[in-house]
Amino acid sequence: MSIKEKNGIREIALSDTLLPEKENIPKNRKHFTEEKLPIDNSSKAKKAMPTIVNNVETEFHNKQIEAEILKLKDQLHANEQYLLNLTNAINTTNTSLEFDMDGHILNANKNFLKIMGYTAKDLIGKHHSVLVDPAYSKSNAYQFFWNSLKKGIHQKDEFVLNAKNGKLIWLLGSYNPIFNTEAKPYKILKIATDITLAKTQFLQLAVQAQEKEKRSSELITANRELAFKNKEKETLAAELIIANKELKFQNEQKEKRAEELIIANKELAVQNREKEKRAAELAIANKKLASEKILKEKRKVEKVKRAAELIVKNKELAYQEKRSSELTLANEELKKAQEELGSFSYSVSHDLRAPIRAINGYTQILIEDHADSIDNDGKKIIQAIINNSNKMGILIDDLLAFSKLGRKEVSSVNINMTTLVSGVINDITFEKGENTPIFEIEELAPSNGDPSLIKQVWINLISNAIKYSKYKPEIKIKITSSSQEDKIIYSVKDWGAGFDMAYYDKLFGVFQRLHSQEEFTGTGIGLAIVQKIVSRHSGAVWAESKLDQGAEFYFSLPNIKH
């Protein structure tokens, strides 16, 4: 028996091998033919005999066909039962989904609904694309995926689907086309296992590996910063020697102190640049000397040409040796100067204060005990003595603070700038009747540094902004920050008296003032302290201003994220 399809209609036909031959016809059927058909030798009877035989054979064949159909139905029922058992087994351990050939969901088992957070009502009839990323559902790869399934090609891989709550679920399994009796796919069965936990752990391991690489990079950066700080210590030690000499000279020559200090600062800058230049030349000379030893044989071939160069190199080497001796002598002088600085700082903080306290005490006695015998001019002179002695005490304090900056070891911790600036503003006190400043503070980026020193920077800049705005109807101060690749820039802006940019080179010098003492009080050391602190943090300080339109001061610190 064979099954054929014609115009969409399935037909069952018997093959020739199923047709029994005459000798194979059962005896009972022959008997039935002999008994049921009366013997008639007439021509009519002879004509009717083949027709009867054919009818009997057709009935026999129909019975065989019915038997085959029943057998096929039993086999189909058994296959359906087997398929049902497989489905039940899958549903107890895995997730499963059924789709039609266009991708619409026909059924979803409980495991799939539980993992994805959907109900059957949410999914039945919906297209498969509701479970995947929208961008992927519109791609050519997604169309190719479904075209392959329609052709009967199963797909096996890791699949990521979107749960109802938006969470990504990873499934390991396959999409399997189900074929009908005509060997054509009529639906698709997806069977998969939830591997989200394993996938998440794998991704976490990858993130941890990246974090280790990041920590290694940060360690390299920290080592570089440490080397830079060591070089900075040497530079600061040289600065300390000059500063101590200048301080002693200023006490002996009070009237010339300001001008000589400016000259000393310029000389210090020139000396630092010269030392850096000589150090670079020494390094270059050493490298060239090593290269000359390695290439000795080659230098023999170019003996005449290299002879002249060798003379020049020897002279440079002799000069560098001389500079090295000078550097050794300078280090010895530095140690001696540090010892002298300790005793001198003690003298300033104790011995110089005693005469000032005596002057204040005697003038106070004159005012209290001899006020009646002193006329108004005398009282003004006495008051001037008191004011100047007080100013001298403040000046000594500022000089000691400036001197200690070169000796203080700078720590480095993470600083919350917003909290630090808020604390500085809360600590500022105002006299009765003074205008209360209006502060506009943005969220400030954090940075690394010494909290006590950076706090002093903010105190000096904010105090200056308030002081130079006191004659304005409204005191307004804006504090901001901005990040660049390797540094963070902080700024303090006011709308006060400002200054003339033509005198900018004097702005950060010790005892340099761009306004008169009668107009704005001060010692002229505040901005020098700011520059010193920021420089020790590997940063820079600068300002922009227009006269009577306010000023904006900037300082930079290294970016801790770089």
Side-chain angles (χ1 to χ4, degrees):
M1 182 180 67
S2 62
I3 301 175
K4 299 180 180 179
E5 183 173 346
K6 184 177 181 181
N7 297 329
I9 301 175
R10 299 177 66 211
E11 296 179 353
I12 302 175
L14 297 174
S15 64
D16 294 338
T17 59
L18 295 178
L19 294 175
E21 298 179 356
K22 288 184 179 182
E23 59 269 25
N24 294 330
I25 298 175
K27 293 181 179 181
N28 61 349
R29 193 162 60 114
K30 289 183 178 180
H31 177 75
F32 173 80
T33 304
E34 293 174 356
E35 288 188 354
K36 294 299 178 177
L37 298 177
I39 300 173
D40 190 351
N41 294 327
S42 64
S43 59
K44 185 176 181 181
K46 290 179 179 180
K47 292 179 180 179
M49 181 62 70
T51 303
I52 293 173
V53 172
N54 290 336
N55 290 338
V56 172
E57 291 177 348
T58 300
E59 181 179 358
F60 178 75
H61 294 160
N62 289 340
K63 289 181 179 180
Q64 283 188 327
I65 291 170
E66 290 177 357
E68 288 291 335
I69 292 173
L70 290 175
K71 183 178 179 181
L72 291 173
K73 286 183 177 180
D74 292 341
Q75 185 176 357
L76 178 62
H77 179 72
N79 290 338
E80 290 177 347
Q81 185 62 40
Y82 176 70
L83 182 61
L84 180 61
N85 292 339
L86 288 178
T87 302
N88 291 335
I90 291 170
N91 288 337
T92 60
T93 58
N94 296 342
T95 66
S96 66
L97 277 173
E98 292 184 9
F99 304 90
D100 62 18
M101 296 310 295
D102 292 327
H104 295 95
I105 300 173
L106 301 176
N107 190 21
N109 72 347
K110 293 181 179 179
N111 288 341
F112 182 84
L113 296 175
K114 181 179 179 181
I115 292 172
M116 301 300 290
Y118 288 103
T119 64
K121 185 178 179 181
D122 295 332
L123 297 179
I124 302 302
K126 301 293 180 60
H127 193 268
H128 174 268
S129 59
V130 302
L131 300 174
V132 300
D133 184 78
Y136 173 63
S137 66
K138 297 177 182 178
S139 66
N140 294 331
Y142 186 71
Q143 296 300 322
F144 178 79
F145 170 79
W146 276 104
N147 289 338
S148 298
L149 291 176
K150 290 179 180 180
K151 293 177 181 178
I153 303 172
H154 82 284
Q155 305 290 327
K156 182 179 180 181
D157 204 346
E158 293 181 359
F159 304 93
V160 60
L161 301 181
N162 294 329
K164 187 174 182 179
N165 60 4
K167 181 181 177 182
L168 296 180
I169 303 299
W170 288 86
L171 300 175
L172 175 63
S174 61
Y175 289 76
N176 306 282
I178 306 300
F179 299 88
N180 57 20
T181 56
E182 300 172 5
K184 292 184 177 181
Y186 70 97
K187 68 178 180 179
I188 297 168
L189 175 63
K190 171 183 173 58
I191 302 173
T193 302
D194 183 9
I195 61 169
T196 303
L197 178 59
K199 197 72 177 180
T200 302
Q201 292 175 347
F202 175 78
L203 294 176
Q204 288 176 348
L205 289 175
V207 171
Q208 291 174 359
Q210 292 178 354
E211 186 66 21
K212 288 182 179 179
E213 293 181 0
K214 180 180 178 182
R215 296 302 181 193
S216 177
S217 177
E218 291 176 350
L219 182 59
I220 293 172
T221 301
N223 289 334
R224 290 176 179 173
E225 290 179 352
L226 181 60
F228 179 81
K229 289 178 180 179
N230 289 334
K231 293 181 179 179
E232 184 67 14
K233 286 181 179 179
E234 296 178 359
T235 303
L236 292 175
E239 292 177 353
L240 185 58
I241 295 172
I242 303 301
N244 291 333
K245 292 180 179 180
E246 290 299 324
L247 183 60
K248 182 178 180 180
F249 182 75
Q250 288 164 7
N251 289 328
E252 297 173 353
Q253 306 269 340
K254 292 181 181 180
E255 295 180 357
K256 298 181 180 180
R257 183 181 300 133
E259 296 179 359
E260 292 176 349
L261 186 57
I262 295 173
I263 296 173
N265 288 333
K266 291 182 179 179
E267 290 177 351
L268 178 61
V270 172
Q271 290 174 5
N272 288 336
R273 288 195 294 269
E274 185 67 19
K275 286 181 180 180
E276 292 175 355
K277 180 179 178 182
R278 297 307 179 192
E281 291 174 352
L282 180 59
I284 294 172
N286 290 334
K287 290 180 180 178
K288 289 181 178 179
L289 183 60
S291 299
E292 288 172 0
K293 291 179 180 179
I294 296 172
L295 301 175
K296 185 177 181 180
E297 296 298 327
K298 182 178 179 181
R299 197 160 55 244
K300 289 180 180 180
V301 178
E302 301 176 356
K303 184 176 180 181
V304 177
K305 180 179 178 181
R306 297 302 181 188
E309 294 179 357
L310 183 60
I311 294 173
V312 176
K313 301 306 180 194
N314 289 334
K315 290 181 179 180
E316 291 179 353
L317 183 60
Y319 180 76
Q320 295 300 333
E321 291 176 351
K322 179 181 177 182
R323 297 300 299 170
S324 178
S325 300
E326 293 175 352
L327 183 59
T328 302
L329 181 61
N331 288 333
E332 294 176 355
E333 292 178 352
L334 173 61
K335 293 179 181 179
K336 182 178 180 181
Q338 287 177 338
E339 296 175 356
E340 293 176 352
L341 178 61
S343 60
F344 177 73
S345 298
Y346 179 85
S347 175
V348 170
S349 59
H350 295 81
D351 298 344
L352 292 183
R353 292 182 187 276
I356 295 173
R357 286 195 296 267
I359 292 172
N360 283 335
Y362 287 131
T363 51
Q364 192 65 33
I365 291 173
L366 287 175
I367 293 175
E368 293 177 356
D369 298 341
H370 304 282
D372 296 336
S373 61
I374 301 174
D375 58 9
N376 291 333
D377 290 337
K379 291 179 180 179
K380 290 181 180 179
I381 293 173
I382 292 174
Q383 188 61 45
I385 294 172
I386 293 174
N387 293 339
N388 281 280
S389 61
N390 290 335
K391 180 180 176 181
M392 187 62 185
I394 295 172
L395 185 60
I396 291 173
D397 292 337
D398 289 345
L399 286 173
L400 286 174
F402 184 76
S403 175
K404 288 178 181 179
L405 286 177
R407 303 194 305 273
K408 186 180 186 302
E409 184 176 353
V410 178
S411 63
S412 181
V413 298
N414 191 296
I415 303 175
N416 186 326
M417 285 298 180
T418 302
T419 302
L420 182 63
V421 171
S422 299
V424 170
I425 292 174
N426 292 333
D427 292 341
I428 295 176
T429 58
F430 303 99
E431 297 292 337
K432 186 176 180 181
E434 289 183 345
N435 289 339
T436 301
I438 300 173
F439 289 96
E440 180 182 348
I441 306 174
E442 297 182 356
E443 186 69 23
L444 301 178
S447 184
N448 272 357
D450 190 311
S452 62
L453 294 180
I454 298 301
K455 181 178 181 180
Q456 188 62 47
V457 170
W458 286 112
I459 290 173
N460 289 6
L461 293 179
I462 294 173
S463 298
N464 275 4
I466 295 173
K467 178 172 68 174
Y468 290 106
S469 301
K470 68 179 182 179
Y471 296 120
K472 296 291 182 178
E474 180 182 69
I475 300 177
K476 182 179 178 182
I477 298 172
K478 183 176 182 180
I479 301 175
T480 62
S481 70
S482 62
S483 298
Q484 295 184 0
E485 289 185 358
D486 58 347
K487 60 185 177 181
I488 300 175
I489 298 175
Y490 302 93
S491 71
V492 178
K493 183 177 182 180
D494 65 74
W495 284 263
F499 60 86
D500 191 343
M501 291 292 287
Y503 302 101
Y504 181 81
D505 58 334
K506 298 182 178 181
L507 188 62
F508 296 100
V510 180
F511 303 120
Q512 294 297 310
R513 293 179 50 80
L514 304 185
H515 298 275
S516 65
Q517 182 71 27
E518 292 75 14
E519 186 179 7
F520 298 103
T521 60
T523 60
I525 297 181
L527 291 179
I529 291 176
V530 169
Q531 186 184 50
K532 192 77 170 179
I533 292 174
V534 174
S535 177
R536 295 207 63 188
H537 284 78
S538 303
V541 183
W542 67 97
E544 296 176 356
S545 177
K546 289 185 179 180
L547 194 59
D548 202 36
Q549 295 184 22
E552 186 167 9
F553 282 82
Y554 304 88
F555 71 93
S556 65
L557 295 175
N559 191 344
I560 61 177
K561 297 182 179 179
H562 184 66

